[in-house]
Amino acid sequence: MNRVIDACERSGLPIYFTRDWHPPRHISFKSRGGPWPPHCVQGTSGAEFHPKLRVPPDAVIISKGDDADAEAYSGFQGTDLEGRLRKAEVGEIFLGGLTTDYCVRLSTLDAIKAGFKVNVIEDCIRAVDVRQGDGARAIADMRQAGARFVASGEVIKMMASTQQ
Ligand code: ZN
């Protein structure tokens, strides 16, 4: 992902990060009957990006899941991501991150529904696989919806040839 981020920066392409940004008693937590242990609680180290992930200073950070009573796997859900992409005249998205079967899947499906062309960077995603095969099923769903799967090396090459 870092190499793709570098390539985007070199090509002058806008970069968007989405992150879970949950209140301490979020609806997705086991304490409230949800499926997940507490995670990504606002202002705690658990909500920070991985220290080895390169977050350029001018990248846009989109926080989601900040309503205690609503789950938001998709980066488009309850955020201004779609508006920001349109304002930047983005037509095509290259997407990677965690997790294949939840946030990547739902962000991809929402992006396609909103009319964006979506490329999922196949070596930059990873599934939770709560049930075995969830990741594979998610990939099939995304393909079915029209997502294209590309290797990061291809994306980097493409970006190098479209210097802006
Ligand atoms: Zn979450």
Side-chain angles (χ1 to χ4, degrees), residues 20-22 26 28-29 36 39-40 64-65 71-73 103:
D20 268 10
W21 192 247
H22 295 319
H26 189 248
S28 73
F29 298 171
W36 309 115
H39 63 278
C40 301
K64 63 186 179 71
E71 178 57 296
Y73 290 127
C103 299

Side-chain angles (χ1 to χ4, degrees), residues 86-107:
R86 294 208 189 283
K87 205 168 170 195
E89 300 184 330
V90 169
E92 183 169 12
I93 296 168
F94 293 82
L95 179 156
L98 300 172
T99 63
T100 309
D101 30 2
Y102 292 91
C103 299
V104 169
R105 176 172 67 93
L106 287 155
S107 297

